[in-house]
Amino acid sequence: MAGVAAAIAALGLAELVAALLAPTASPVLAVGALIIDLVPAWVKDLVIGFFGTADKLVLIISIGLVVLVLAALAGILEYRRAPWGRVLVVAASALALFAAFTRSGSAAFDALPSLVAAGVGTIVLTVLVRRLSNRPAGEGAMDRRGFLAFTGASAGVGILALIGGQLLLAGTRTADAARALFTLPPASVPGAPIAAGASLDVAGITPIVTANRDFYRIDTALQVPRIDPSTWRLRITGMVENEVEISFAELLALPLEESTTTLACVSNYVGGDLIGNAVWLGYPIRKLLERAKPTGDADMVLSTSSDGFTAGTPLEALTDERNAILAVGMNGVPLPLEHGYPVRMVVPGLYGYVSATKWVVELKLTRFDQEQGYWTPRGWSALGPVKLSSRIDVPRSGVPAGPVVVAGVAWSQHVGVSAVQVQIDDGDWNDATLADAISIDTWRQWMYTWPATPGSHTVRVRATDAEGRVQTSATRDVAPDGATGLHQISVTVT
Ligand SMILES: Nc1nc2c(c(=O)[nH]1)N[C@H]1C(S)=C(S)[C@@H](COP(=O)(O)O)O[C@H]1N2
Ligand SMILES: [Mo]
């Protein structure tokens, strides 16, 4: 109990100090971020497989549990083998200190929360364990009460500090306030309106444009970076003739263009939902690169986010005719904080991990033989073009016999989808009806009316791209460069 109370007091006060002075040095979150960076890819895949996008919550809870176990251990050690309990407290604080300093953009202030944890933890532990050890004979009952009071008080202070820190954080979020006040400038180049024919009238089909609140979120950020847009700068560096630096106000003053682009995650398994389609507002990266004038030998743009994440994008994908943009708007509103506010990259046809840097602050012109993006040394391919794929959205459950609408989406970014076919059990492939394409860079809805007969059936889908390539049935895992195979569902017809 002494150990646990000391740990709660130490962590609570450390988190309060972090909230006041150094939000990125929160011991729990810094250690969590370090773990995210260190665990092997397969562990990450396993955790995401089990817990989906609750993975970060699971990580924080796990850290909490480990802290409690270590804390109890520190209490026992301090009672039986002083000063080893204190040594454990100091070691744990040192780990938090190390973690805080491995975060990008760390400053001297970031040491404070861990120092507070070490100080409070050792003092409270010492005081509590002394009360247990120096018990005068015959007064056991009194002492137990005193010990419990001290223990309760320490834990109480810790919990109050923790709550206070979180409230404070919620109140001082410049980024949130700035985003709330900010209205997007109108597009100078409006996107082509989305034709009514792009949406099929099928209940339960994926909407052609994904609402922001339904848009999948994938990133390594345990805390969403909160950037004050008035201090945001994008720097274009490396192999360039002119370094370019641009502020948020300058970016907004440029002629912004609207484009509808599908964004997919390389970790999307066949049939999965780590893919979304949005109307983005932004400025072509190509035009900023023209100002910077990349030198002849550059072949990669290493984009860096404010939290240190990096993506390596082929220079060509940012300079060719596709709509590779620095996006500020998503479906008519400023980028949501968790989708990269104030500025992110969106590059049609490349998986997010090699292109879609959120909270982007630097574009460095470099070479693939000199630098790597975040995920490449972690087992993912340096290049990540999005693979031709298709998904069945409906039916979701059993259906009555008769005509049944099978429908979903298919994508072949930057090439376009030309056909979708559906197979029932091991029968022939039947052509589905395609909705109008918004562009070759967006997914396309499809539907097929299946004359369903009673029994249990397998329904499979495959797409063909505009160059005549048929989606492969060979199954491959998401690593290293995206899953392949055909999506199939089992349907019970009654
Ligand atoms: N800063 C930052 N940007 C990032 C990532 C990240 O971890 N950090 N993840 C990338 C990956 S893997 C994907 S799939 C997309 C997801 O973007 P979304 O969360 O807006 O859907 O963001 C990309 N941009
Ligand atoms: Mo991703």
Side-chain angles (χ1 to χ4, degrees), residues 145-487:
R145 209 170 295 155
F147 170 76
L148 287 178
F150 265 80
T151 307
S154 312
V157 166
I159 289 171
L160 284 181
L162 192 65
I163 295 173
Q166 298 311 301
L167 288 179
L168 213 110
L169 270 185
T172 56
R173 288 181 162 160
T174 341
D176 307 44
R179 180 176 180 276
L181 290 176
F182 166 58
T183 37
L184 277 184
S188 298
V189 183
I194 296 172
S199 293
L200 297 172
D201 185 16
V202 173
I205 197 170
T206 304
I208 193 68
V209 174
T210 315
N212 290 353
R213 65 172 181 284
D214 298 331
F215 209 96
Y216 78 95
R217 173 187 168 202
I218 293 287
D219 53 60
T220 59
L222 205 48
Q223 315 186 69
V224 174
R226 296 186 135 76
I227 300 176
D228 176 353
S230 70
T231 64
W232 180 87
R233 295 274 184 293
L234 178 79
R235 299 192 311 124
I236 304 183
T237 63
M239 300 174 165
V240 291
E241 280 176 30
N242 314 312
E243 290 213 346
V244 170
E245 188 172 315
I246 182 168
S247 72
F248 193 54
E250 286 164 343
L251 178 64
L252 294 180
L254 295 170
L256 301 182
E257 303 183 6
E258 206 173 60
S259 49
T260 305
T261 297
T262 298
L263 181 62
C265 181
V266 66
S267 301
N268 195 28
Y269 52 89
V270 172
D273 58 5
L274 298 180
I275 179 166
N277 185 43
V279 181
W280 308 94
L281 178 68
Y283 187 70
I285 295 173
R286 167 178 22 97
K287 295 193 180 166
L288 284 180
L289 291 178
E290 275 164 19
R291 291 195 204 175
K293 295 202 171 60
T295 54
D297 35 3
D299 64 6
M300 179 223 255
V301 173
L302 188 76
S303 49
T304 305
S305 91
S306 71
D307 69 350
F309 169 89
T310 54
T313 311
L315 175 58
E316 208 195 308
L318 302 178
T319 50
D320 66 16
E321 81 301 343
R322 80 185 84 191
N323 288 321
I325 57 168
L326 282 176
V328 296
M330 182 175 183
N331 292 328
V333 295
L335 285 178
L337 293 169
E338 61 275 19
H339 292 294
Y341 180 81
V343 182
R344 77 173 303 169
M345 289 169 60
V346 177
V347 183
L350 302 182
Y351 288 121
Y353 81 108
V354 288
S355 70
T357 304
K358 306 191 268 190
W359 315 291
V360 63
V361 292
E362 186 183 349
L363 303 181
K364 180 181 178 192
L365 276 291
T366 177
R367 295 182 49 83
F368 276 96
D369 58 17
Q370 290 178 14
E371 306 249 17
Q372 292 185 315
Y374 181 89
W375 284 108
T376 303
R378 292 170 170 83
W380 299 84
S381 164
L383 298 178
V386 178
K387 292 185 175 159
L388 165 65
S389 198
S390 52
R391 182 177 81 194
I392 303 170
D393 293 338
V394 288
R396 270 180 236 284
S397 52
V399 290
V404 168
V405 173
V406 181
V409 281
W411 56 94
S412 166
Q413 275 193 289
H414 218 56
V415 176
V417 172
S418 65
V420 170
Q421 293 168 310
V422 175
Q423 183 189 44
I424 310 298
D425 301 321
D426 289 314
D428 294 336
W429 286 97
N430 308 290
D431 286 329
T433 306
L434 287 176
D436 291 344
I438 298 175
S439 78
I440 56 171
D441 292 324
T442 59
W443 62 16
R444 209 165 163 184
Q445 292 183 346
W446 58 267
M447 65 175 282
Y448 166 68
T449 307
W450 164 38
T453 52
S456 181
H457 297 285
T458 301
V459 180
R460 226 172 258 119
V461 65
R462 72 176 186 195
T464 302
D465 74 17
E467 288 164 4
R469 275 179 300 251
V470 179
Q471 183 181 346
T472 176
S473 60
T475 50
R476 278 176 53 187
D477 194 13
V478 292
D481 63 359
T484 64
L486 303 185
H487 188 210

